[in-house]
Amino acid sequence: MFNLKRTPLLRFALVLVALISVTVSAQQKIEIKYSGFLNFDEEKHPDAKILTRDDAEQVHIFHSGTDMWCDKAFYYGKQNFIEAYGNVKMIQGDTINMTSKYVEYDGASQLAFASGDVVLTDPSSKIVTDTLYFDRQKQQAYYQSNGTVEIDTSGTITSKVGRFYMQENKFQFVKDVVLTNPEAKVESNFFDYYKDTSHAYLFGPSTITTSESVTYCEKGFYNTVAKTGYAMKNANIKYDGKEIVGDSLFFDQNRNFSSATNNITVTDTLNNSIIKGHYAEVFKAKDSIFITKRAYAITVQENDSIYIHGDTLMVTGQPEKRITRVFRNVKMYKSDMSGKSDSIHINHKTGLTELININAPGTGGAFSTARKPILWNLANQMTGDTIHLQSDVEKDKLDSLIVFNHAFLISKDTLGAGFNQINGKKLVGLFNDKNEMNHIDIIKNAQSIYYFRNDANELVGIDKSKSASIAIRINDNVIEEVRKVNQVDGKIYPESQFPKNERILKGFDWREEERPLSVEDLFKDDPPLELPTIKGLEDYIPQDSFFDTVIKTPNNATSATTKSIHIPKTLPNLKQTDSIRPLPTKVKQKP
């Protein structure tokens, strides 16, 4: 038995051995499982063992749960570093499989660089690129010189830069990103994709193209399996000659359905119409639009546009059979005509616009007034149970109007002495080519009160009469002639002798204060508008550099990750020669 004293030198040696043991255990050494041939090249590769396959097997390398095979390898034992050439294959567990022509692998950092026809696969995706970085500690793979990713459930994605987070099952794509599958093509600058959910998040100018529509946004979400998503920031959807713009747009390709929230504009270039509001639903298959929250429609005409506003607006049907319906508290405005009703129904094929009757809640009794549909044309106010406006669809102009039941026409006397009034069962008005009313007929049970003035605009008398019908001729918006047919009663009064209790006809209802005089007036009675806050996606934040350190070859030479590399088209002759030392066949050896 020896008695060994622990001298200071011995204690230092023991500490050094312990430190080395800890380092080796923390940084597991690369293990050579098999090599057909072993060679050395002291001049070109003084620190390397040159490993070459034989006819039976490739060189087999193992490190920390990952196997690598190749045709030839340079193994730097001191640096725990390997360079692998020819038909390189890396397998990590039962999930990650990578093939390439060349690989650099640092055992200390577990960082790999692959180049030449690189293919990395896992159970549900495949990355194909020319160069790939693989960080085994972070479980991330990265390419920056164009790559293609095939995902089982979603299609194929190409990009300039791509990153695969293996533990999160997430991809990040940057610059010239294109996803293609049978249902859609998605193009973007920044694209995050989660494999577990098949969800994609788009940032920067992005376009989703399908056979039905084209969606553009600068922030967006797309479920590649469910074929649903939403678009934000300068978002729009185009389909069948229409464009939908809004702060947030949702779409469902399965139902050909879209909805929009806040600051919505739907432009129909085929029908020269624009619809606006703050919530909309669009059913493309039925070619229908539902819009509310300060909804209004604009029909663009050559000289003058028509604006219609109501609580809810619906447009249904193909262009040749299109119907527009506006519900509740409806107002319309045109520079020479405005109106108001409970509802409006427009048949675009026939050119017929119907203003539907309003019956105010609680009306009834001797002195109540039904709030009937109303039209103002220049100085004239017209009311009735229902009002029809007929347009000439070929000439894109107004042709006529008809007021059904309880028709009532009122205009102020030019000097304000009273009101000119005509009522009857039905009113028919005709328009000239300038969209000006030039003729009015009051049909059946007509009554009138009319203030006659001479050329000097002096009041001559006030006519009150009853007749079967009345015809009125208008020129330059001034009544030129009033002709009564089958008058049964009538009298002209001097102003001083006109009884006050006879100065208005039954059913008189002057509503000038309700008249819209501008587009803004359409909304003056609306309650304050409260729009929902749309949070949506956060802004895209550029990622930091992929690697904390750069792979270094032995002797601190810069690796192929930062310099151009040369991959031999053919490997050296693998037959035994005098310069190659053979190893025992099929014997696993650790050089």
Side-chain angles (χ1 to χ4, degrees):
M1 179 179 291
F2 294 94
N3 182 13
L4 185 62
K5 295 182 179 180
R6 294 192 176 185
T7 63
L9 180 60
L10 178 59
R11 287 197 297 270
F12 174 77
L14 291 172
V15 171
L16 182 61
V17 169
L19 287 174
I20 293 173
S21 299
V22 171
T23 302
V24 171
S25 62
Q27 298 180 4
Q28 185 177 342
K29 297 293 288 183
I30 294 173
E31 181 181 354
I32 308 302
K33 292 282 190 178
Y34 181 86
S35 178
F37 303 96
L38 172 65
N39 190 28
F40 299 89
D41 188 338
E42 298 296 336
E43 181 179 349
K44 294 183 179 180
H45 304 280
D47 297 327
K49 294 180 176 66
I50 304 173
L51 313 172
T52 310
R53 69 164 296 164
D54 58 19
D55 292 338
E57 295 184 36
Q58 286 186 292
V59 178
H60 184 186
I61 302 157
F62 177 82
H63 183 256
S64 188
T66 295
D67 291 281
M68 180 191 301
W69 290 267
C70 63
D71 292 341
K72 183 176 181 179
F74 291 85
Y75 172 50
Y76 300 86
K78 293 180 181 180
Q79 294 85 356
N80 208 22
F81 187 91
I82 199 99
E83 288 183 277
Y85 292 85
N87 301 308
V88 184
K89 179 167 66 173
M90 287 184 68
I91 296 179
Q92 177 181 276
D94 58 356
T95 57
I96 303 299
N97 189 328
M98 184 175 73
T99 61
S100 64
K101 291 181 178 179
Y102 173 81
V103 166
E104 290 177 2
Y105 181 73
D106 184 351
S109 64
Q110 296 189 40
L111 193 61
F113 167 78
S115 65
D117 299 333
V118 184
V119 178
L120 186 147
T121 60
D122 73 351
S124 61
S125 64
K126 179 170 73 172
I127 301 174
V128 179
T129 183
D130 188 58
T131 57
L132 184 76
Y133 303 83
F134 180 14
D135 188 331
R136 294 188 56 231
Q137 287 187 345
K138 292 182 177 180
Q139 285 296 286
Q140 297 177 12
Y142 173 81
Y143 63 82
Q144 59 182 2
S145 57
N146 297 314
T148 299
V149 178
E150 298 176 10
I151 301 173
D152 291 349
T153 58
S154 301
T156 301
I157 303 172
T158 60
S159 67
K160 180 74 173 177
V161 176
R163 187 193 309 255
F164 180 27
Y165 299 82
M166 298 172 187
Q167 293 177 339
E168 295 89 345
N169 253 349
K170 171 187 173 182
F171 282 97
Q172 278 189 328
F173 301 100
V174 179
K175 195 174 181 181
D176 302 331
V177 188
V178 180
L179 179 150
T180 55
N181 61 38
E183 290 78 22
K185 178 180 180 181
V186 183
E187 300 169 273
S188 182
N189 273 353
F190 306 100
F191 188 117
D192 286 358
Y193 178 85
Y194 293 82
K195 290 171 59 179
D196 291 341
T197 59
S198 301
H199 291 176
Y201 296 85
L202 316 177
F203 301 91
S206 305
T207 303
I208 301 172
T209 304
T210 72
S211 59
E212 302 290 337
S213 64
V214 176
T215 301
Y216 173 86
C217 66
E218 292 172 17
K219 284 184 185 180
F221 162 80
Y222 183 53
N223 186 324
T224 60
V225 173
K227 311 304 177 189
T228 61
Y230 61 84
M232 298 175 60
K233 193 176 180 182
N234 300 321
N236 66 71
I237 299 176
K238 295 179 181 178
Y239 72 100
D240 297 339
K242 302 179 188 65
E243 180 183 44
I244 307 170
V245 175
D247 289 355
S248 178
L249 306 178
F250 169 82
F251 56 90
D252 184 340
Q253 293 172 223
N254 304 295
R255 296 190 294 152
N256 280 330
F257 170 80
S258 301
S259 65
T261 304
N262 293 358
N263 301 305
I264 303 158
T265 300
V266 181
T267 303
D268 187 340
T269 55
L270 298 178
N271 292 280
N272 294 324
S273 67
I274 299 171
I275 302 172
K276 295 191 175 187
H278 293 284
Y279 178 75
E281 295 182 356
V282 180
F283 298 86
K284 293 191 283 289
K286 297 180 179 180
D287 207 356
S288 67
I289 300 170
F290 165 91
I291 191 164
T292 186
K293 290 191 176 180
R294 202 158 288 185
Y296 66 102
I298 307 169
T299 301
V300 181
Q301 296 184 341
E302 184 176 354
N303 299 317
D304 198 4
S305 296
I306 300 174
Y307 298 80
I308 301 176
H309 163 59
D311 289 348
T312 303
L313 191 150
M314 293 179 63
V315 180
T316 58
Q318 300 296 326
E320 64 275 9
K321 296 181 180 180
R322 180 145 299 162
I323 301 293
T324 296
R325 300 175 179 90
V326 191
F327 302 101
R328 291 181 292 278
N329 305 315
V330 181
K331 299 176 185 176
M332 61 176 292
Y333 172 79
K334 189 172 176 286
S335 63
D336 57 357
M337 180 179 291
S338 55
K340 193 175 178 183
S341 67
D342 180 62
S343 302
I344 285 181
H345 182 283
I346 304 172
N347 186 321
H348 295 270
K349 180 179 180 180
T350 62
L352 178 62
T353 299
E354 301 175 62
L355 283 72
I356 311 300
N357 189 27
I358 298 174
N359 287 313
T363 59
F367 302 102
S368 67
T369 302
R371 308 305 288 177
K372 300 179 182 296
I374 184 168
L375 275 180
W376 292 272
N377 176 243
L378 301 173
N380 302 305
Q381 172 188 299
M382 288 163 280
T383 57
D385 288 356
T386 303
I387 299 175
H388 286 186
L389 279 169
Q390 182 64 58
S391 296
D392 186 328
V393 293
E394 297 294 331
K395 296 181 180 180
D396 195 24
K397 62 175 287 294
L398 285 173
D399 179 76
S400 60
L401 72 83
I402 303 174
V403 181
F404 296 93
N405 297 327
H406 304 102
F408 210 125
L409 174 65
I410 307 173
S411 66
K412 270 189 174 182
D413 174 54
T414 53
L415 295 182
F419 293 93
N420 298 310
Q421 305 161 56
I422 302 174
N423 69 10
K425 186 172 180 62
K426 185 177 181 181
L427 181 151
V428 178
L430 303 177
F431 294 86
N432 60 22
D433 290 338
K434 298 179 182 179
N435 276 344
E436 297 171 344
M437 194 180 298
N438 62 357
H439 187 89
I440 297 174
D441 286 321
I442 304 293
I443 301 170
K444 198 173 183 180
N445 301 328
Q447 298 182 81
S448 66
I449 295 175
Y450 187 73
Y451 288 71
F452 281 105
R453 293 186 178 274
N454 59 23
D455 293 341
N457 213 20
E458 297 170 337
L459 184 61
V460 175
I462 303 171
D463 175 81
K464 183 174 183 180
S465 64
K466 295 180 181 180
S467 57
S469 63
I470 298 175
I472 303 171
R473 187 159 58 88
I474 303 172
N475 187 27
D476 291 332
N477 300 315
V478 177
I479 295 177
E480 279 194 343
E481 181 184 359
V482 176
R483 184 162 52 88
K484 303 168 186 177
V485 178
N486 296 331
Q487 182 172 330
V488 296
D489 184 21
K491 184 177 180 180
I492 297 178
Y493 295 88
E495 183 180 16
S496 59
Q497 298 178 17
F498 190 36
K500 289 186 178 181
N501 61 352
E502 294 188 17
R503 293 190 178 188
I504 61 173
L505 299 175
K506 183 180 178 180
F508 177 91
D509 187 14
W510 182 246
R511 296 162 59 183
E512 182 67 17
E513 74 282 355
E514 300 178 41
R515 181 176 187 174
L517 299 175
S518 65
V519 176
E520 291 74 19
D521 281 352
L522 298 176
F523 311 99
K524 66 180 181 181
D525 298 328
D526 288 6
L529 183 64
E530 296 182 6
L531 298 180
T533 300
I534 301 172
K535 183 180 180 183
L537 302 174
E538 301 292 341
D539 289 336
Y540 180 80
I541 300 176
Q543 299 298 304
D544 296 332
S545 176
F546 182 67
F547 292 124
D548 296 328
T549 58
V550 177
I551 297 178
K552 295 291 185 179
T553 56
N555 301 320
N556 293 324
T558 303
S559 76
T561 60
T562 55
K563 68 177 182 179
S564 60
I565 62 172
H566 171 68
I567 302 174
K569 292 184 179 179
T570 58
L571 290 172
N573 192 333
L574 300 183
K575 293 183 179 180
Q576 298 182 24
T577 65
D578 295 337
S579 63
I580 298 179
R581 182 188 308 165
L583 292 176
T585 305
K586 298 186 183 295
V587 175
K588 298 180 180 179
Q589 179 149 348
K590 299 178 181 179

